[in-house]
Structure formats: structure tokens, C-alpha cells
Amino acid sequence: MNQAECKGARRKIPRIFIHPQHDLHDRSACEDSQFSIPIIDLQAVSTDSNLRAKAIEKIQNACETWGFFQIVNHGIPKTDLEEMLAAIRRFHEQDADMKKEFYTRDLRNKTLFLSNFDLFQAPVVSWRDTFALVMDSIPPEPESLPVICRDIAMVYSKQVHRLGITLFELLSEGIGLNPNHLKDMECAERITIFGQYYPACPKPELTLGARSHSDADFMTILLQDQIGGLQVLHESQWVDVPPIPRALILNIGDFLQLLSNDKLKSVNHRVIAKQEGPRISVACFFRTEFFEPGDDLKCYGPIKEFLSEENPPMYKETTAQDFLKHYYSKGSGASALLHLKL
């Protein structure tokens, strides 16, 4: 089923989208006023040492306690943020004949259009479609991208890459490393962009836009529209991540929690389905590489500078290949890091 073609007037949803009640009973987020996603201002972090130090402290605190935070004054123009969201919506809402040339489940492709990566493995699936772009150090040829979003995708990916380098510098300093440490480990080298389309759902109480999960990457930078629906699991309660105009959302991925030996936290999050819609988001994953020859031999484990007799490693080393195989086979819910715990 192509969800982008679903109409809100439909009274039922297909059974494959209906989630178990235990995943849905706590759809409402915690309304406790003490819970609020941190918002961090990146104004002048590259030119003002005092503002940089304050931002680093706030980022480190947010990563230790939440694993999520929103950033403002990040340097990406409002017009580009708006155009990127609009371009993803245009792609999903164009005629099916225009989209089908990009439909594939071969994850080695640079462009993919599909509904649920685990469609043939999961017992239930999520209420969304995805258009993915792999924007590595060697990006796809512009001619291979859909005309409807080509120009802004190339521009936006470069802007997010620059922002990612800055954020990895701040994260490195926050955990006591040289500013270039994470960048030199190639954490900012590879980006995959997911343009997500969550149609209006006639029965949102029966399904989810995205099941509870953590991200199997180093870091994710998310752009969301004003519909809302993203929730973060914090102190065993779901907390809304409210849309803030022109803000971006950052969350720590599993690999960065592994590298930092638990100094940085990768936490579960989800997207609830809504009767309003469509909801559009653009997730940029700074990730390892799974398919390039030789990369499966590279091991990831706690950074040596963190380790001592007093601070032993929390995790075994793993290859990206082995970790991702486990991540996609375990299903949603429990962290994929648990099987690496020492």
C-alpha cells in the first residue's frame, strides 16, 4: 500500500498497520511541567569563546540526561528549511508514475523510495512513506535525483554537513577530547537523508508513524514541520518534542553512545499518527557505512582515551556490519547496544 495516496476520508486502516495495544496505550505524552526538551542557542559558537563554552556545557548536559535537544541559530537559512520540507512534500504527492522509478529495496542505491524498510520482516508496519538520499563524501550525480527536489537537496545536504562538523566539534570538547577527534574518526563523513511523509490517519489510535526505536548512527539532525507527533522516552515517560519555527532537533545515535562509553546517551523515540496531516520531516543520519568493501572489518568500541582501571569499557567492540544486522533483526523496543554490554 502506498500511504501517500491514502485519503483521510477512509474509515479503516489495513490490518498490517494496526499495532499491539501495549505499544499504543500511552500515546499521550507526559504533561509534567518539569519535562522540557532542552533548547540550545548556537549563535556565534565559532567566533565567541564564551558563547562556545556555554553551548558546550548545555550540549553535554542535554546529551547526558536527554539524548535529545533542539538547536536554534544554527546557520541554515529559514528559506532553505522551508523549501526542503516543501520539496519532500512535492516528491511524495506527485503522481505515482513519477515516483515508481525510484522505488527499490536495494539499500546500496543512492536514491530510494519505499514504505517501511522492514516491511517484510516486521509483524506490523508504520504509517509513513520514505524517500531516502545517500549523500556521502561522493554524493550522487545531480541528474540521478528527482527534478522536483534536486536543487534544494544538494544545497541542504551541504549545509547539514557543515553544521554536523560543528556539532561533532562541540560534542568532542564536551567529553574532553580534541575538537577534531570525532570528525577524524569519520563521524561526519557519511549522511543519509530520509524525507518522511506521514499521511493524515483516519484511525491514529490504532497505529504509529514510527515505532519506538533508537538510531543506529552517530548522530541525527532532524527538521520537522509544525504538525508535531515526535516523542522522546525520558525517565520512562513519553515527552513531546514541540515544533519550534526554524529550529532543528539533534539526537545521539547508538554508535556515539558506544564510542563515548555511555558519556552520551542514545534514547528511544517514536512518532504518533495523527488525524492532521500530512506530517513532513527530514532526518539526516550521520552514519557508518555498511556496504563498501572493507568497512565491515572496521571495529567500533569505547574510545581509548576514556578507559582506565577506574573507568573500564562498558561495551565490547563490534563491526558496523554485525551491529546493524543485530539492530534490524531485534525488532523495536530494547536497545541494540545491550548485547554488547560487558
Side-chain angles (χ1 to χ4, degrees):
M1 174 185 177
N2 182 349
Q3 297 170 60
E5 308 302 327
C6 286
K7 304 299 182 182
R10 294 187 61 176
R11 296 181 180 179
K12 297 180 180 179
I13 63 174
R15 183 174 298 177
I16 193 173
F17 292 104
I18 298 177
H19 287 242
Q21 279 303 306
H22 62 78
D23 289 340
L24 301 168
H25 77 280
D26 56 353
R27 278 174 46 87
S28 298
C30 172
E31 296 181 357
D32 193 324
S33 60
Q34 70 172 308
F35 291 133
S36 177
I37 301 291
I39 302 171
I40 298 173
D41 192 340
L42 297 187
Q43 182 72 45
V45 294
S46 297
T47 57
D48 187 309
S49 59
N50 290 328
L51 292 177
R52 184 181 184 88
K54 290 179 181 178
I56 289 171
E57 182 180 2
K58 291 179 179 178
I59 287 172
Q60 183 59 26
N61 181 260
C63 291
E64 290 176 354
T65 57
W66 281 88
F68 260 76
F69 56 92
Q70 303 212 54
I71 53 176
V72 296
N73 293 318
H74 42 69
I76 300 181
K78 173 186 176 182
T79 52
D80 290 341
L81 300 175
E82 292 174 344
E83 175 56 20
M84 189 63 192
L85 288 171
I88 294 301
R89 180 167 185 166
R90 288 196 302 269
F91 174 85
H92 284 284
E93 293 184 348
Q94 66 184 325
D95 188 81
D97 287 340
M98 302 295 291
K99 292 182 288 188
K100 68 181 182 182
E101 67 174 287
F102 299 100
Y103 182 84
T104 180
R105 293 194 169 272
D106 186 346
L107 302 185
R108 292 168 294 185
N109 282 18
K110 294 282 190 178
T111 58
L112 306 90
F113 169 58
L114 72 168
S115 176
N116 289 266
F117 285 87
D118 57 358
L119 181 64
F120 299 110
Q121 292 82 36
V124 293
V125 296
S126 299
W127 191 259
R128 73 174 185 275
D129 283 341
T130 300
F131 177 60
L133 298 170
V134 179
M135 309 296 283
D136 288 348
S137 53
I138 303 177
E141 292 295 328
E143 294 75 20
S144 70
L145 304 182
V147 174
I148 205 164
C149 60
R150 177 184 299 165
D151 292 344
I152 187 59
M154 299 297 291
V155 169
Y156 187 73
S157 65
K158 292 176 182 177
Q159 293 171 328
V160 168
H161 182 245
R162 285 194 295 268
L163 175 60
I165 289 174
T166 297
L167 288 164
F168 279 121
E169 290 176 354
L170 300 176
L171 288 166
S172 294
E173 291 185 58
I175 53 179
L177 299 171
N178 178 286
N180 292 325
H181 196 108
L182 293 175
K183 183 177 68 173
D184 290 344
M185 294 183 71
E186 299 185 350
C187 293
E189 190 72 14
R190 304 176 180 93
I191 302 175
T192 294
I193 299 175
F194 282 8
Q196 309 276 37
Y197 186 96
Y198 304 83
C201 182
K203 294 288 185 179
E205 69 278 8
L206 298 180
T207 190
L208 289 167
R211 288 170 290 161
S212 175
H213 67 285
S214 60
D215 289 348
D217 63 354
F218 298 112
M219 176 180 74
T220 306
I221 296 177
L222 178 76
L223 168 64
Q224 65 172 344
D225 65 11
Q226 298 302 301
I227 294 291
L230 176 62
Q231 296 179 338
V232 176
L233 190 61
H234 181 68
E235 296 188 12
S236 301
Q237 300 182 75
W238 288 106
V239 180
D240 285 326
V241 183
I244 298 175
R246 299 184 296 282
L248 293 169
I249 300 160
L250 183 144
N251 66 277
I252 300 300
D254 291 343
F255 276 95
L256 208 47
Q257 178 169 334
L258 172 68
L259 293 177
S260 70
N261 208 35
D262 277 355
K263 289 179 179 290
L264 307 173
K265 304 297 185 183
S266 175
V267 301
N268 276 32
H269 47 287
R270 69 182 185 183
V271 178
I272 61 170
K274 290 196 166 192
Q275 286 187 321
E276 306 96 329
R279 175 184 185 266
I280 310 295
S281 69
V282 182
C284 296
F285 300 95
F286 290 81
R287 50 167 237 293
T288 62
E289 183 54 80
F290 183 40
F291 293 106
E292 288 183 359
D295 270 12
D296 59 329
L297 301 178
K298 182 175 181 178
C299 286
Y300 295 88
I303 294 171
K304 306 305 182 188
E305 284 81 349
F306 295 143
L307 306 181
S308 65
E309 289 187 9
E310 295 77 24
N311 296 289
M314 304 290 289
Y315 301 99
K316 298 180 289 186
E317 290 189 342
T318 184
T319 64
Q321 184 181 52
D322 287 345
F323 182 85
L324 291 171
K325 282 183 179 178
H326 176 73
Y327 177 89
Y328 287 112
S329 66
K330 72 176 182 62
S332 61
S335 170
L337 291 169
L338 290 178
H339 81 298
L340 298 175
K341 275 281 190 179
L342 292 171

